[in-house]
C-alpha cells in the first residue's frame, strides 16, 4: 500500500487522464499463450531476453521482451495454525496443505521480507490510509469496477487479496454471499479497519479472514483460490517477481489475477524526475512504497497465459502516477 495525497508530500501535479486504445500482441515463443498490452512499454532488453513481437505505434514505439515460463515454486509456507484459522474460508485443498513450517519459522519469513515497524508507526500508517484515501478510491472506482467484473463472470468464490490494507475492495465482493475472501497484509493494524470496511459494505465477516502475511510467502496451498486481487501492493513488496510467482502458485488453472498498480512515469518527463527525487523519502514514510517500479512489465513477464493491461492517470494520486490496471489469467 502506498501513501496517496500524503500531507508530507502534498503538492499536486497537474495531470490529465488518458486511455490509449492501440494494442500490441506479444507472442511467447515457448507456448501458444499471448499477452495483450494496452500501454506504452519500456523494457530494458538484453541478449537473454528476446522474442518476436508484433507492435502497434501510438506515441512512442512499443518495445517488449519476455522470459521463459517460470516453474511454479513449491509451497514454502503451509502452516497448521493458518489452515485451522481459515477452515471456514478455504477449500478442502487448502485445508489439506502440508505443514512445512512452524509458526515461528513463518513469522521469521514475514519479518525477512517486511521487517517489523514500531507499533506507533503501524497504527499511524493504517489510520492515514483509512482516513485520507477516500477521494482516490472514488476516482479509481471506475477502473476497479471494470476489471473486478470478471470475478463474477468467472464465478470466483475463493478470493485471496494481497496487501488488503484497510479493505477498500471488500465493497466489490459484497453483492455475492458465496464469495469468501482471505486478505493478507504485513501490517496487523490494518485488520480492524478491514473488518470495519467489510461491515460497512455488507460483506459477511464470517466470509472474511485477515492473515498477517506477506506476498512473497503466501500462506495458502497450491492452486487453492479462484482469483487473486492486488491493488497498490507491488509497489511495497520487497521482491516483486517472487510475489508474482506466489500469485501464480496459489491460483487454480484458469484463475485470474486482478490488479491496479502505480508505475514509473515516462523517462525524461518532469514527473519521472520528481519521482526519482522523492523515491527515498516515499519508501521511508510510506512503508516501503517505490515510486519508480516498472510493475506492468513485471506482470507481463511473470508467466501468465494472457495479460491485459491498460493505463490511466489519476488526478487524486498526485505524483504516484501513472497507474496500470488489468487482468492476468493463469
Amino acid at each position: 500500500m502506498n501513501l496517496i495525497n500524503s500531507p508530507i508530500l502534498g503538492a499536486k501535479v497537474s495531470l490529465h487522464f488518458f486511455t490509449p486504445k492501440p494494442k500490441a500482441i506479444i507472442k511467447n515463443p515457448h507456448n501458444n499463450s499471448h499477452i495483450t498490452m494496452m500501454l506504452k512499454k519500456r523494457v530494458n532488453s538484453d541478449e537473454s531476453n528476446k522474442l518476436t513481437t508484433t507492435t502497434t505505434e501510438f506515441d512512442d514505439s512499443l518495445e517488449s521482451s519476455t522470459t521463459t515460463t517460470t516453474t511454479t515454486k513449491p509451497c514454502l509456507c503451509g502452516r497448521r495454525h493458518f489452515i485451522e484459522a481459515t477452515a471456514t474460508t478455504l477449500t478442502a485443498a487448502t485445508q489439506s496443505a502440508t505443514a512445512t513450517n512452524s509458526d515461528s519459522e513463518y513469522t521469521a519469513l514475514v519479518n525477512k521480507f517486511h521487517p517489523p515497524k514500531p507499533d506507533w508507526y503501524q497504527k499511524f500508517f493504517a489510520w492515514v490510509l483509512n482516513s485520507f484515501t477516500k477521494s482516490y478510491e472514488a476516482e479509481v472506482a471506475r477502473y476497479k469496477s471494470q476489471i473486478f467484473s470478471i470475478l463474477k463472470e468467472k464465478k470466483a468464490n475463493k478470493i485471496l487479496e494481497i496487501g488488503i490494507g484497510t479493505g477498500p475492495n471488500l465493497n466489490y465482493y459484497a453483492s455475492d454471499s458465496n464469495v469468501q475472501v482471505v486478505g493478507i497484509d504485513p501490517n496487523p493494524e490494518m485488520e480492524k479497519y478491514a473488518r470495519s470496511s467489510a461491515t460497512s459494505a455488507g460483506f459477511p465477516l464470517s466470509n472474511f479472514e485477515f492473515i498477517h502475511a506477506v506476498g512473497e510467502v503466501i500462506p495458502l496451498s497450491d492452486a487453492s483460490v479462484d482469483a487473486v486481487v492486488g491493488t497498490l501492493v507491488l509497489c511495497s513488496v520487497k521482491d516483486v517477481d517472487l510475489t508474482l510467482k506466489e500469485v501464480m502458485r496459489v491460483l487454480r488453472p484458469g484463475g485470474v489475477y486482478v490488479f491496479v498498480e502505480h508505475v514509473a512515469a515516462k523517462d525524461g518527463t518532469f514527473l519521472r524526475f520528481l519521482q526519482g527525487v522523492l523515491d527515498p523519502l516515499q519508501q521511508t514514510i510510506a512503508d516501503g512504497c517505490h515510486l519508480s517500479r516498472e510493475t506492468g512489465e513485471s506482470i507481463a513477464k511473470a508467466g501468465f497465459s494472457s495479460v491485459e493491461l491498460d493505463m490511466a492517470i489519476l488526478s487524486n494520486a498526485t505524483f504516484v502516477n501513472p497507474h496500470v490496471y488489468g487482468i492476468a489469467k493463469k
Side-chain angles (χ1 to χ4, degrees):
M1 301 293 292
N2 62 277
L3 198 59
I4 303 293
N5 283 337
S6 163
I8 301 174
L9 302 179
K12 285 195 174 183
V13 179
S14 179
L15 299 169
H16 301 283
F17 164 78
F18 69 95
T19 304
K21 299 299 183 182
K23 301 178 182 179
I25 307 300
I26 303 175
K27 297 182 179 179
N28 190 327
H30 304 285
N31 54 44
N32 293 323
S33 64
H34 70 275
I35 300 172
T36 302
M37 303 298 294
M38 299 184 183
L39 73 163
K40 290 176 278 188
K41 289 184 56 57
R42 300 179 300 280
V43 178
N44 295 323
S45 59
D46 53 45
E47 291 301 315
S48 62
N49 287 318
K50 289 186 177 180
L51 81 167
T52 302
T53 62
T54 301
T55 63
T56 300
E57 299 281 335
F58 31 107
D59 287 338
D60 299 315
S61 60
L62 184 70
E63 298 179 348
S64 52
S65 65
T66 191
T67 58
T68 57
T69 302
T70 305
T71 303
T72 303
K73 66 183 289 298
C75 178
L76 301 174
C77 50
R79 295 191 300 158
R80 289 188 179 89
H81 176 71
F82 167 78
I83 296 168
E84 293 169 358
T86 59
T88 60
T89 59
L90 300 179
T91 62
T94 303
Q95 294 172 350
S96 63
T98 303
T100 57
N101 292 288
S102 67
D103 284 346
S104 60
E105 289 173 330
Y106 184 76
T107 299
L109 284 172
V110 171
N111 293 339
K112 172 186 175 182
F113 289 107
H114 191 273
K117 303 290 194 304
D119 287 345
W120 70 264
Y121 176 87
Q122 295 191 120
K123 291 178 180 179
F124 174 72
F125 189 65
W127 173 78
V128 168
L129 285 181
N130 188 65
S131 303
F132 295 100
T133 59
K134 300 294 191 300
S135 60
Y136 169 82
E137 288 298 333
E139 185 176 5
V140 78
R142 60 183 294 189
Y143 308 112
K144 285 187 177 182
S145 296
Q146 179 182 333
I147 59 177
F148 277 46
S149 63
I150 197 172
L151 300 178
K152 288 186 177 180
E153 294 174 15
K154 290 285 187 177
K155 296 182 180 180
N157 292 329
K158 300 293 189 300
I159 297 175
L160 165 68
E161 183 160 348
I162 55 174
I164 192 168
T166 59
N169 295 328
L170 291 168
N171 181 60
Y172 297 94
Y173 320 130
S175 61
D176 191 342
S177 60
N178 294 320
V179 170
Q180 297 175 328
V181 176
V182 174
I184 65 172
D185 200 283
N187 185 347
E189 296 297 329
M190 299 290 185
E191 180 174 5
K192 63 181 179 181
Y193 295 109
R195 291 189 173 279
S196 177
S197 295
T199 299
S200 297
F203 187 79
L205 289 177
S206 59
N207 289 7
F208 174 61
E209 185 69 29
F210 181 98
I211 305 295
H212 177 223
V214 293
E216 292 90 343
V217 192
I218 297 174
L220 276 71
S221 61
D222 296 358
S224 58
V225 297
D226 303 315
V228 177
V229 173
T231 60
L232 302 187
V233 60
L234 294 183
C235 59
S236 299
V237 299
K238 186 174 183 180
D239 192 323
V240 175
D241 292 336
L242 182 55
T243 299
L244 290 170
K245 288 180 182 179
E246 282 288 273
V247 168
M248 286 280 287
R249 179 183 66 78
V250 300
L251 273 175
R252 291 174 178 156
V256 293
Y257 170 44
V258 177
F259 57 89
V260 179
E261 298 288 348
H262 67 84
V263 297
K266 183 179 178 181
D267 290 338
T269 62
F270 174 75
L271 179 56
R272 182 65 183 85
F273 168 78
L274 183 64
Q275 289 173 341
V277 172
L278 296 178
D279 208 0
L281 180 59
Q282 178 80 350
Q283 292 178 43
T284 300
I285 68 172
D287 204 11
C289 171
H290 293 70
L291 294 173
S292 55
R293 283 182 171 173
E294 300 285 0
T295 307
E297 296 173 4
S298 298
I299 295 172
K301 296 186 291 186
F304 293 98
S305 64
S306 67
V307 178
E308 297 179 7
L309 300 96
D310 208 340
M311 182 180 285
I313 292 181
L314 306 182
S315 61
N316 282 295
T318 64
F319 50 83
V320 188
N321 267 303
H323 282 49
V324 293
Y325 62 98
I327 301 164
K329 298 179 182 179
K330 182 174 179 179

